[in-house]
């Protein structure tokens, strides 16, 4: 039994200690926006925030967390009150997703980047966002981050 | 947008769970998708269009949305002819069971070959147009005026002489009772106001907040979760497994055989099922392929490059004589490896089986094929089965022709009657149990005359046939009709863009023990590499510019030439450069569309490749949603370049070696070039856009690499090739 602080709620999670945070979030807590893609921290589809840092939740056991650590999933990315995060707004404006399966992780990785580096250069975005997308949305992901950061250039 | 998922009202469960599948229930997740039972008489105008009393329009989409934008494009085509208010349009998927019960009123459900829009555009537009005519007729009847005096626009009908108006929702019920019109004229695409426009997708918002439900996310009441392992050696079987070793583990409920080659653990959660499966002792009978290897396959294919008995795909003149008499002869052998689709969402499905009925929920590119697999595995007639299509986390061909995972989940569910079973493949299972991009080699021989003009060309393809494995009934006289994609003489599909007076293209079929599949772009991928890279080799041998050399052969292929010229001009082909960057060209025709690319690359002295910029052009005839076509073009470079740069599934001991993204790398954002798309629809045909551009990605880059390094890359992936200087 673990206690997790997810999207502002403290939850009892009946999972074995070695259960990855990803699967506790998906199966015990029931939030399915965080995706399983590889299970070996390669693809980033499972990215959540832990105290503001982007974490690949498929490779971290629930026993590594305490209720003092604030976990945020894609369902908790938008500020309270239903408004969109600036990245979500940019994503909709640019029609970033294709199949969309990787996009929760992309958005969480991008949000953590902007929280630490509000105006990243293109090179910083390219090196920091290492999530995998098979449909090939990278250029629109890049443009979406730049739009949200206010660094978009025309054309 | 809200996507409605219709769960069957007829499904009745036995035992304690009875009632759980009553008149609709909610998938307990963050809720973009409500699951509601259809009313007894749906307020439909016809099979394609439902107009509700509140004026909301539900457009039925038979094809699958897997990221390619077909859902939005098809809805645009229907809404265009319907004169609907686009802001009120939603969509829903009919089930293949409903299609069966209604005499296939929605036609083909298959979503592959970039056919989603190009193959169905006419009948879905007629569906929209017929519905509009019926709505207008209903209004005219109500007003007792001639229909010719009425106009429909943005879901409102106006009686022009009197100025009276009525909304679609007010006449929908009456319209649905009218006899459909026999003659349904369609609008000239030049007059389109909804179709042809770069409208936003209908399915974006829920993909940005975690609300989109994929197959993997589905939850049904009382559901258990299954993890599965099939024999990793192709053709192998389960010899034995020791269920007692894991039945005491937390949450484990069942350990069951699945067919003769797989074992599943069923538990309360998937993670517990997966970890128990990892601990389950299984012994395999590896069967006759246990010694198969990529090296042995390559040797066998190499033998096929000169073997007799090949099947001719395209020929002209006398290639042998032309080569014998040529002033200069150039020869090269290329190869293309096995590759996995690697959809971001691994294969998965949920099934409930009872002796009376079987239902499946799954991401599928072809609901009808999934229904056939369900019926076959369930032991029930298709009329007692149905498949509910859940949004796909990628398809790329893996979820289309072969529904092996559906067969598995039904086989599991049948052993646990009445309990919904969700089966998810691990990434490792997905990598090992793929339907792989076929492996081929190609020997090309070209002959130049004294002026450097191409007088003859032979292309011998040796290797695997997808069709022979999946649709063997379509092999006629030993000929695989798909293996010559991009090389066909005519017929309107996948046609070669060059006129070569003496030509022989043939195929020596060699099918290794690896299950092949239709992998996004299919055989156009390697055929375009073979032909377009060799064209560069020939141009170089002739001492001619690669663009001018091609142009001299393309006078009879104006649409191929137009896209090639477009990219060359935009990319600045022929301009002297001082920035160390080099260009490479490629063009092809496939899935009904003409495509070309010009890649701009540099290669460092240490051999590091940087792809800076791609210019890509597509002539798809009609462009239903230009911004989504651009998205498909951009995405095609990720798929095509990831494959060319990094991806190979290596056969060893009869199984694939690579099991996850650490050994099967993907293109990531850091390597992603800028892509400039030129969408140039010429208007007199309908071409697809999801696949063709993939085929020009690799050859454009490989030709640019030659320009930069003088090295010809004839084997893939590029990780096998040393690009260092010297």
């Amino acid at each position: 039994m673990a206690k997790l602080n997810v999207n502002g709620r403290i939850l009892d999670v009946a999972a074995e200690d070695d259960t990855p945070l990803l699967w506790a979030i998906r199966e015990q807590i029931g939030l399915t926006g965080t995706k399983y893609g590889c299970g070996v921290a390669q693809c980033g589809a499972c990215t959540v925030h832990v105290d503001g840092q982007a974490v690949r939740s498929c490779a971290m056991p629930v026993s590594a967390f305490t209720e003092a650590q604030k976990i945020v999933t894609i369902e908790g990315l938008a500020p309270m009150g239903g408004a969109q995060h600036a990245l979500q707004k940019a994503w909709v404006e640019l029609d970033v997703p294709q199949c969309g399966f990787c996009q929760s992780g992309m958005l969480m990785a991008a949000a953590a980047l902007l929280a630490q580096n509000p105006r990243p250069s293109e090179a910083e975005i390219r090196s920091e966002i290492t999530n995998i997308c098979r449909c090939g949305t990278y250029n629109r992901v890049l443009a979406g981050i730049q739009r949200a950061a206010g660094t978009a250039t025309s054309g | 947008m809200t996507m409605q998922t219709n769960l069957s009202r007829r499904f009745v469960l036995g035992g304690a769970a009875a009632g759980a599948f009553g008149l609709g229930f909610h998938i307990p997740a963050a809720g973009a998708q409500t699951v509601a039972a259809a009313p007894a008489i749906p307020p439909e105008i016809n099979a394609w269009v439902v107009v509700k009393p509140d004026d909301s329009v539900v457009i039925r989409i038979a094809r699958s949305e897997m990221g390619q934008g077909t859902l939005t494009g098809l809805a645009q085509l229907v809404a265009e002819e319907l004169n609907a208010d686009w802001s009120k349009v939603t969509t829903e998927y009919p089930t293949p069971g409903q299609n069966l019960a209604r005499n296939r009123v929605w036609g083909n459900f298959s979503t592959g070959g970039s056919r989603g829009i190009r193959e169905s555009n006419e009948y879905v537009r007629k569906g929209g147009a017929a519905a509009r005519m019926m709505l207008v007729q209903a209004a005219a009847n109500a007003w007792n005026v001639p229909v010719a005096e009425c106009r429909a626009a943005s879901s409102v009908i106006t009686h022009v002489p009197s100025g009276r108006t009525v909304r679609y929702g007010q006449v929908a019920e009456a319209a649905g009772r009218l006899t459909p019109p026999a003659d349904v004229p369609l609008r000239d695409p030049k007059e389109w106001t909804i179709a042809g426009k770069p409208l936003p997708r209908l399915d974006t918002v829920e993909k940005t907040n975690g609300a989109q439900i994929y197959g993997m996310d589905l939850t049904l009441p009382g559901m258990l979760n299954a993890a599965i392992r099939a024999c990793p050696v192709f053709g192998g079987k389960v010899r034995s497994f020791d269920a007692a070793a894991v039945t005491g583990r937390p949450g484990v409920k069942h350990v069951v055989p699945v067919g003769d080659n797989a074992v599943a653990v069923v538990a309360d959660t998937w993670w517990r099922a997966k970890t128990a499966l990892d601990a389950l002792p299984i012994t395999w009978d590896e069967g006759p392929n246990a010694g198969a290897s990529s090296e042995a396959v390559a040797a066998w294919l190499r033998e096929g490059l000169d073997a007799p008995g090949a099947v001719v795909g395209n020929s002209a003149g006398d290639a042998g004589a032309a080569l014998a008499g040529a002033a200069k002869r150039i020869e090269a052998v290329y190869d293309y490896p096995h590759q996995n689709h690697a959809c971001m969402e691994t294969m998965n499905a949920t099934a409930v089986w009872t002796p009376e009925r079987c239902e499946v929920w799954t991401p599928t590119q072809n609901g009808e094929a999934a229904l056939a697999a369900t019926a076959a595995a369930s032991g029930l007639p298709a009329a007692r089965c149905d498949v509910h299509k859940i949004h796909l986390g990628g398809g790329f061909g893996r979820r289309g022709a072969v529904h092996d995972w559906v067969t598995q989940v039904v086989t599991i569910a049948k052993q646990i009657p009445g309990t919904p079973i969700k089966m998810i493949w691990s990434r490792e299972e997905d990598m090992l149990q793929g339907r792989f991009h076929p492996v081929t080699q190609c020997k090309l021989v070209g002959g130049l005359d004294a002026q450097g003009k191409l007088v003859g060309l032979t292309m011998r393809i040796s290797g695997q046939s997808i069709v022979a494995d999946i649709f063997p009934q379509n092999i006629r006289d030993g000929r695989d009709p798909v293996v010559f994609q991009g090389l066909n003489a005519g017929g309107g599909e996948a046609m070669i863009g060059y006129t070569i007076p003496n030509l022989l293209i043939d195929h020596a079929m060699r099918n290794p023990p690896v299950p092949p599949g239709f992998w996004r772009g299919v055989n156009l991928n390697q055929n375009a590499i073979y032909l377009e890279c060799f064209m560069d080799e020939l141009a170089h041998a002739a001492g001619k510019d690669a663009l001018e050399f091609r142009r001299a052969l393309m006078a009879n292929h104006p649409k191929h030439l137009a896209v090639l010229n477009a990219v060359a001009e935009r990319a600045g082909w022929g301009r002297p450069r001082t920035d160390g960057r080099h260009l490479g060209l490629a063009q092809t025709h496939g899935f009904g569309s003409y495509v070309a690319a010009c890649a701009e690359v540099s290669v460092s002295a240490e051999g590091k490749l940087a792809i800076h910029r791609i210019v890509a052009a597509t002539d798809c005839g009609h462009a239903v949603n230009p911004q989504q076509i651009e998205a498909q073009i951009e995405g095609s470079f990720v798929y095509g370049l990831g494959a060319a740069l990094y991806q190979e599934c290596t056969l060893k001991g009869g199984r694939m070696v690579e099991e996850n993204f650490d050994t099967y790398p993907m293109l990531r954002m850091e390597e992603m070039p800028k892509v400039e798309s030129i969408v140039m629809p010429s208007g007199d045909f309908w071409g697809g856009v999801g696949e063709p551009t993939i085929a020009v990605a690799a050859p454009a880059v490989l030709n640019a690499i030659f320009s930069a390094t003088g090295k010809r890359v004839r084997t893939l992936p590029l990780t096998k090739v040393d690009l260092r200087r010297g």
Side-chain angles (χ1 to χ4, degrees):
Chain A
M1 183 75 78
K3 271 193 192 300
L4 297 177
N5 178 341
V6 178
N7 298 337
R9 290 192 301 151
I10 310 282
L11 301 160
D12 289 321
V13 174
E16 286 72 58
D17 281 354
D18 59 355
T19 303
L21 178 61
L22 166 68
W23 290 100
I25 289 170
R26 288 180 58 84
E27 300 200 293
Q28 269 85 17
I29 298 173
L31 295 174
T32 56
T34 307
K35 303 303 185 197
Y36 165 70
C38 68
V40 294
Q42 279 283 322
C43 76
C46 65
T47 304
V48 300
H49 295 172
V50 178
D51 292 333
Q53 302 283 323
V55 166
R56 293 191 171 172
S57 64
C58 72
M60 301 281 283
V62 289
S63 61
F65 298 90
T66 72
E67 63 182 283
Q69 289 168 293
K70 291 184 180 131
I71 298 166
V72 176
T73 70
I74 184 69
E75 290 88 350
L77 177 64
M80 301 297 275
Q84 288 174 317
H85 186 283
L87 284 163
Q88 291 170 316
K89 191 161 170 287
W91 250 235
V92 172
E93 287 166 357
L94 296 177
D95 250 353
V96 171
Q98 291 189 28
C99 91
F101 194 82
C102 72
Q103 296 295 327
S104 296
M106 283 283 184
L107 282 158
M108 297 308 283
L113 171 64
L114 290 189
Q116 283 156 29
N117 182 0
R119 294 177 67 80
S121 68
E122 179 179 327
E124 286 171 332
I125 296 169
R126 285 179 177 275
S127 65
E128 289 295 319
I129 304 299
T130 58
N131 297 37
I132 292 172
C133 171
R134 289 291 282 151
C135 297
T137 61
Y138 296 128
N139 285 351
R140 290 198 190 193
V141 168
L142 173 66
I145 295 171
Q146 290 174 324
R147 175 175 287 227
T151 59
T153 51
S154 59
Chain B
M1 184 201 69
T2 300
M3 166 67 80
Q4 303 264 312
T5 306
N6 291 317
L7 299 193
S8 170
R9 288 172 293 118
R10 292 171 295 164
F11 194 80
V12 180
L13 285 174
F21 284 76
L23 274 170
F25 56 88
H26 290 273
I27 296 172
Q33 285 150 320
T34 51
V35 176
I41 304 168
E44 67 169 46
I45 313 299
N46 60 31
W48 301 99
V49 176
V50 173
V51 179
K52 294 182 177 172
D54 68 358
D55 284 345
S56 58
V57 174
V58 182
I59 294 176
R60 303 249 178 76
I61 306 292
R63 310 288 171 137
S64 298
E65 175 58 52
M66 48 191 158
Q68 83 282 36
T70 292
L71 181 97
T72 302
L74 288 171
Q76 283 177 265
L77 288 171
V78 176
E80 173 66 47
E81 295 291 346
L82 183 61
N83 288 9
D85 177 348
W86 179 248
S87 71
K88 292 177 177 156
V89 168
T90 64
T91 60
E92 73 176 13
Y93 292 135
T95 71
Q98 291 163 344
N99 203 33
L100 188 67
R102 294 179 64 172
N103 199 24
R104 294 194 83 217
V105 67
W106 290 285
N108 192 352
F109 277 39
S110 174
T111 315
S114 300
R115 283 190 292 265
I117 285 176
R118 66 185 170 117
E119 190 182 86
S120 65
N121 76 83
E122 185 170 348
Y123 58 79
V124 304
R125 284 189 291 155
K126 284 190 171 173
R132 183 200 70 239
M133 292 167 73
M134 293 161 77
L135 288 159
V136 173
Q137 183 69 57
N141 292 351
W143 290 326
N144 199 22
V145 299
V147 72
E149 293 181 358
C150 300
R151 298 279 181 275
S154 199
S155 292
V156 174
I157 302 158
T158 302
H159 178 237
V160 177
S162 68
R164 282 178 292 183
T165 62
V166 66
R167 292 178 289 104
Y168 276 9
Q170 295 171 288
V171 292
E173 199 185 332
R177 287 196 296 268
L178 296 175
T179 304
D183 182 30
V184 183
L186 292 177
R187 196 161 291 159
D188 185 326
K190 292 188 185 75
E191 296 166 19
W192 283 349
T193 60
I194 296 173
K197 305 302 172 196
L199 299 183
R201 294 174 65 117
L202 292 169
D203 55 348
T204 292
V205 172
E206 54 267 44
K207 291 174 179 173
T208 67
N209 58 17
Q212 177 71 59
I213 297 297
Y214 298 84
M216 194 182 284
D217 304 328
L218 195 76
T219 302
L220 297 178
M223 185 181 86
L224 295 176
N225 292 271
I228 189 163
R229 181 161 299 148
C231 184
V233 176
F234 300 117
K237 295 176 169 48
V238 175
R239 181 168 285 145
S240 65
F241 60 93
D242 181 12
V246 300
T247 46
R249 291 173 64 96
V252 172
K253 311 285 188 190
H254 309 272
V255 182
V256 296
V258 187
D260 63 5
N261 76 334
V263 183
V265 175
V266 180
D268 56 352
T269 69
W270 186 78
W271 182 255
R272 285 170 172 161
K274 192 256 183 205
T275 47
L277 182 64
D278 288 343
L280 179 69
I282 307 171
T283 55
W284 306 107
D285 169 6
E286 295 190 340
N289 302 322
S293 69
S294 288
E295 290 84 359
V297 171
W300 187 38
L301 265 55
R302 208 169 302 125
E303 174 270 330
L305 293 174
D306 297 301
V311 176
V312 175
N314 189 355
S315 65
D318 185 339
L323 291 175
K328 197 170 185 181
R329 230 174 107 106
I330 299 95
E331 182 176 321
V333 173
Y334 286 73
D335 61 53
Y336 196 96
H338 281 123
Q339 291 166 332
N340 191 296
H341 298 80
C343 303
M344 285 306 297
E345 182 190 24
T346 58
M347 298 305 111
N348 68 83
T350 302
V352 192
W353 185 94
T354 69
E356 291 78 36
R357 189 156 176 83
C358 183
E359 299 213 17
V360 166
W361 293 258
T362 194
T364 171
Q365 291 175 241
N366 187 349
E368 292 184 299
L371 178 62
T374 299
S378 69
L380 294 164
R384 287 173 169 270
C385 301
D386 210 348
V387 171
H388 307 277
K389 188 159 58 188
I390 308 297
H391 197 86
L392 290 74
F396 313 126
R398 179 63 183 89
R399 292 185 153 105
V402 178
H403 286 77
D404 42 352
W405 76 95
V406 171
T407 300
Q408 289 179 337
V409 76
V410 171
T411 304
I412 298 167
K414 197 175 174 182
Q415 298 177 69
I416 311 167
T419 299
I421 303 294
K422 176 163 74 175
M423 180 199 72
I424 302 173
W425 283 10
S426 66
R427 175 58 61 190
E428 290 76 13
E429 192 71 5
D430 206 82
M431 287 296 297
L432 296 175
Q433 303 299 333
R435 302 291 310 196
F436 298 87
H437 190 299
V439 63
T440 61
Q441 297 180 9
C442 184
K443 179 177 182 179
L444 302 102
V445 185
L448 301 169
D449 68 13
Q451 286 73 46
K453 187 163 168 281
L454 182 63
V455 293
L457 175 72
T458 61
M459 264 182 96
R460 162 63 64 85
I461 300 165
S462 173
Q464 198 164 10
S465 161
I466 308 166
V467 174
D469 186 80
I470 297 179
F471 300 119
Q473 68 277 17
N474 292 346
I475 300 285
R476 305 266 161 74
D477 301 324
R479 185 176 194 272
D480 173 346
V482 183
V483 85
F484 299 105
Q485 276 180 305
L487 306 172
N488 294 316
E493 170 52 27
M495 299 180 293
I496 193 167
Y498 304 108
T499 302
I500 300 164
N502 300 289
L503 178 71
L504 178 63
I505 302 175
D506 56 12
H507 176 219
M509 196 186 293
R510 298 284 187 276
N511 293 320
V514 172
F518 297 94
W519 190 100
R520 191 179 181 189
V522 195
N523 293 306
L524 195 65
N525 297 330
Q526 72 274 16
N527 289 346
I529 292 171
Y530 301 155
L531 182 60
E532 287 302 290
C533 289
F534 194 63
M535 276 291 159
D536 253 48
E537 296 205 42
L538 292 169
H540 185 72
K544 294 190 177 178
D545 174 80
L547 177 60
E548 292 307 324
F549 185 81
R550 285 179 171 82
R551 280 176 173 163
L553 303 167
M554 296 177 76
N556 299 326
H557 307 276
K559 294 201 174 189
H560 291 79
L561 181 59
V563 289
L564 181 66
N565 281 336
V567 298
E569 185 184 337
R570 173 77 69 87
W573 182 269
R575 268 206 310 261
R577 306 187 71 109
T578 55
D579 57 2
R581 295 185 181 181
H582 295 263
L583 302 183
L585 289 168
Q587 63 82 22
T588 193
H589 176 244
F591 308 96
S593 290
Y594 301 84
V595 296
C598 185
E600 178 184 309
V601 315
S602 62
V603 181
S604 73
E606 297 74 38
K608 184 165 168 48
L609 169 70
I611 308 168
H612 303 281
R613 176 191 183 213
I614 304 266
V615 177
T618 294
D619 177 0
C620 50
H622 294 285
V624 174
N625 187 322
Q627 68 102 350
Q628 280 304 300
I629 294 170
E630 289 178 5
Q632 287 307 294
I633 292 170
E634 290 168 17
S636 292
F637 287 100
V638 177
Y639 213 75
L641 294 178
L645 265 53
Y646 298 123
Q647 291 161 10
E648 176 175 26
C649 295
T650 313
L651 185 66
K652 191 174 179 184
R655 51 166 281 169
M656 290 310 185
V657 172
E658 295 78 11
E659 296 190 35
N660 210 316
F661 298 147
D662 49 352
T663 50
Y664 191 76
M666 300 289 151
L667 193 83
R668 298 185 197 237
M669 194 190 286
E670 192 156 32
E671 303 119 314
M672 178 68 192
K674 291 188 193 307
V675 177
E676 294 171 36
S677 303
I678 305 168
V679 180
M680 41 188 287
S682 58
D684 56 349
F685 62 96
W686 289 77
V689 298
E691 294 171 272
T693 298
I694 291 170
V696 288
V701 167
L702 298 180
N703 288 336
I705 288 173
F706 175 78
S707 175
T709 66
K711 293 188 179 184
R712 287 288 173 199
V713 177
R714 301 191 185 95
T715 189
L716 293 173
L718 198 57
T719 47
K720 293 179 183 171
V721 181
D722 185 350
L723 294 180
R724 282 176 296 185
R725 301 282 156 78

